Amino acid sequence: MMNPNPNPNPNPNPSLSVTRRTLIQGAAWTVPAIALASAAPSLAASQCISEASTSTLAADFIRIGSRSAYFRWRNVFQAGDELRLNVTSEKLSTGDGSIDVGNLQLETAPAGLTYGLVPGASSALNLAVNIGADTFQSRHAFSFSYASDGSTFVPYAGVQGASFTIVDIDGKYVLSGGVNTGVERILFESGASGTIVDPDYLKGTGIAGSPWSRRDPSTPNLPNLDTFQSSAGNVDAVATASSWVLRYNGINPPAPQIFNIWITPIAFTAVNPAGC
């Protein structure tokens, strides 16, 4: 989605931010930290938890900057442990365009609304890029790590069935022949796949050579969708591994500007690496 605000960063100190769910939105954040395992250390210490189902709604969010952030769960399988979902962003193309300063913000929808009309998506992770006159390419990597002692982290491959929605793929790119199509080109480089919600608006399969983008002509015939009132630019995604890489590319908008897509809360099941 095109962002008309040249600096959409809602945080006055974007270099580092910690979001506590229970402080942001009250009852909307009352999802238990781990659905199958109490967050209380006494319970985690008294029994072996073989697996736990949760989502990023139940995590703390720590934003290190526009290129790095992570979600954090504590006391997942035992007292004092910590599970993280790490997110990093990097620019791949050599021309103009950049990762925007507002990238990797965890944003909250207006009261009563959700991102892309997705049930329960009262928050979403903002991926924001500046797309200029050249073809732009960026990579956004998601990977889990785990520390049984809360401090010594190792890569974690025990995530199953991670699912989320990519919201608001749209834009307008004017070709030399006067035909309009989408600026934003979204695909998975590895670890996940997705399904278009509205094939009248989007096209593509989400792989190299066939990214998801706005159809020409699209229905509705809008270059910029309402993030909170339309699901036309949505792709429902499922991870096939415990890490995945999303490519956020773009091609020559009418003028250089900031574009955004959003990642809705990520739900998954985590398996105890120590077993039970």
Side-chain angles (χ1 to χ4, degrees):
M1 177 181 183
M2 180 186 73
N3 189 333
N5 185 349
N7 183 11
N9 185 356
N11 189 336
N13 182 18
S15 61
L16 178 64
S17 59
V18 179
T19 300
R20 295 292 301 189
R21 304 298 184 182
T22 53
L23 297 180
I24 290 180
Q25 207 174 10
W29 300 114
T30 57
V31 177
I34 296 295
L36 300 184
S38 168
S42 59
L43 177 58
S46 64
Q47 64 184 39
C48 180
I49 305 301
S50 61
E51 63 180 36
S53 296
T54 187
S55 81
T56 51
L57 282 173
D60 298 326
F61 179 72
I62 294 85
R63 183 179 188 265
I64 300 170
S66 63
R67 293 173 179 264
S68 180
Y70 61 91
F71 293 90
R72 176 179 66 193
W73 298 262
R74 288 174 167 166
N75 305 317
V76 180
F77 303 113
Q78 62 187 40
D81 70 355
E82 185 172 314
L83 178 66
R84 291 183 179 182
L85 171 55
N86 309 288
V87 189
T88 59
S89 299
E90 62 176 320
K91 175 185 174 181
L92 299 178
S93 52
T94 58
D96 60 2
S98 63
I99 302 295
D100 188 67
V101 296
N103 187 57
L104 298 184
Q105 293 278 5
L106 186 64
E107 300 182 352
T108 302
L113 301 179
T114 63
Y115 285 85
L117 301 180
V118 177
S122 55
S123 73
L125 184 65
N126 180 12
L127 300 184
V129 298
N130 294 287
I131 301 177
D134 297 331
T135 299
F136 175 80
Q137 298 181 357
S138 65
R139 176 186 286 129
H140 305 265
F142 296 73
S143 64
F144 284 86
S145 57
Y146 176 72
S148 59
D149 61 0
S151 60
T152 308
F153 286 89
V154 296
Y156 173 75
V159 167
Q160 298 178 347
S163 61
F164 53 93
T165 298
I166 305 168
V167 171
D168 216 14
I169 303 172
D170 56 15
K172 177 180 180 179
Y173 162 51
V174 182
L175 297 171
S176 59
V179 180
N180 299 327
T181 187
V183 170
E184 295 173 317
R185 310 294 171 92
I186 312 301
L187 62 98
F188 283 116
E189 183 177 297
S190 62
S193 61
T195 302
I196 289 173
V197 170
D198 186 352
D200 290 331
Y201 191 82
L202 294 180
K203 63 180 180 179
T205 58
I207 61 175
S210 182
W212 293 302
S213 65
R214 180 185 165 211
R215 182 177 294 281
D216 172 44
S218 65
T219 303
N221 191 19
L222 297 173
N224 295 296
L225 299 170
D226 187 320
T227 306
F228 308 106
Q229 299 291 344
S230 176
S231 61
N234 290 8
V235 169
D236 290 333
V238 176
T240 55
S242 295
S243 61
W244 60 91
V245 177
L246 182 147
R247 292 283 295 271
Y248 188 171
N249 301 336
I251 186 168
N252 305 72
Q257 55 203 264
I258 300 168
F259 287 83
N260 309 80
I261 57 173
W262 284 266
I263 306 297
T264 64
I266 301 168
F268 61 94
T269 296
V271 177
N272 190 335
C276 283

